Amino acid sequence: MANTQAHSQKCISFLLTQDLPFIATLSKQIAAGKVGELHQCGCHGFAFEVHGDANVPPLNDGQGPFYEMAFTSNFPEEIDMLLFTDERGYLSWVDVTYGAANIAPMPEGVIPSAKIGVWPSCA
């Protein structure tokens, strides 16, 4: 299924419903930013841009992978969501993949459901 702005918005809405230890900060960054480039490899990854003049706290102490979540789905494989931050510690990329190792393009009609794991276990 092709990646679209609508898919990235659904992903953001889904993220904001999760019980995350950093949900308040993530919510502020999402309110201050916007979805950027969409990955077209078959995953539903997308860039996220928090404006340079945004006065919001960082998620992380720098650039890199920040948090990963795995969810059951209505298909045989799980859905993984990996959050990355930029050098300021702001959300910069969200990978949304099908299967633990991005085994195939995101299937049409896939829906994440129960959380089955997170990394790190306490952020």
Side-chain angles (χ1 to χ4, degrees):
M1 152 170 61
N3 196 3
T4 65
Q5 285 285 332
H7 289 123
S8 61
Q9 292 302 323
K10 284 182 184 178
C11 177
I12 287 171
S13 295
F14 181 74
L15 278 172
L16 292 175
T17 67
Q18 300 305 303
D19 181 21
L20 303 171
F22 50 86
I23 192 67
T25 301
L26 181 64
S27 296
K28 289 176 185 176
Q29 288 192 14
I30 287 172
K34 65 178 182 175
V35 171
E37 169 193 2
L38 301 175
H39 225 231
Q40 295 300 335
C41 68
C43 77
H44 280 181
F46 58 92
F48 195 83
E49 303 164 13
V50 178
H51 306 288
D53 60 353
N55 187 19
V56 295
L59 289 166
N60 200 13
D61 291 334
Q63 184 175 7
F66 168 65
Y67 200 75
E68 180 176 358
M69 296 161 282
F71 301 91
T72 59
S73 76
N74 58 329
F75 278 74
E77 296 293 330
E78 67 188 51
I79 296 174
D80 289 355
M81 295 179 147
L82 295 86
L83 308 181
F84 295 83
T85 55
D86 63 16
E87 63 280 346
R88 302 170 298 161
Y90 290 176
L91 183 65
S92 64
W93 192 265
V94 179
D95 271 345
V96 184
T97 62
Y98 181 67
N102 196 21
I103 62 168
M106 195 65 69
E108 185 75 38
V110 69
I111 300 169
S113 51
K115 191 183 312 179
I116 54 176
V118 297
W119 175 90
S121 58
C122 52

